Amino acid sequence: MQRICSEHDWNPNQRKWLERLAKQLVHEAVIDKSFVNQRFADQGGAKRLNSVLDDQLDTVLIELNEYLWQAG
């Protein structure tokens, strides 16, 4: 997640959401939109997170999963 944070110019609110995703990596091997919808349903799910991230949720999820595979 540090790599994703450093490769983009995120505002503090966006970084907070990215940190929430990072905390879920302890419990999940892969994070996708379905997971985001389930885990963050009470906060608006993937639609809300995509809005917070300026329509970059797909990009973040792709990068995150690629970096996880590279690290593994």
Side-chain angles (χ1 to χ4, degrees), residues 4 6 8-9 15 19 24 27 29-30 38 41 47 50 56 58 62-63 67-70 72:
I4 289 173
S6 69
H8 300 273
D9 187 25
R15 286 185 179 271
E19 289 171 12
Q24 296 307 308
H27 309 286
V30 175
Q38 292 173 354
K47 185 175 181 179
N50 191 47
Q56 296 186 69
D58 288 333
I62 289 168
E63 289 177 359
Y67 298 154
L68 287 172
W69 283 107
Q70 289 173 4

Side-chain angles (χ1 to χ4, degrees), residues 8 10 14 50 53-61:
H8 300 273
W10 303 112
Q14 291 169 326
N50 191 47
L53 297 177
D54 296 329
D55 295 324
Q56 296 186 69
L57 178 58
D58 288 333
T59 301
V60 167
L61 293 176

Side-chain angles (χ1 to χ4, degrees), residues 3-46:
R3 190 170 171 184
I4 289 173
C5 287
S6 69
E7 291 178 351
H8 300 273
D9 187 25
W10 303 112
N11 66 43
N13 187 43
Q14 291 169 326
R15 286 185 179 271
K16 184 173 83 173
W17 274 94
L18 292 170
E19 289 171 12
R20 290 177 182 170
L21 279 179
K23 288 179 183 178
Q24 296 307 308
L25 291 174
V26 174
H27 309 286
E28 301 294 324
V30 175
I31 294 180
D32 58 12
K33 277 189 173 180
S34 175
F35 173 81
V36 172
N37 273 327
Q38 292 173 354
R39 175 61 184 92
F40 299 108
D42 60 335
Q43 297 163 338

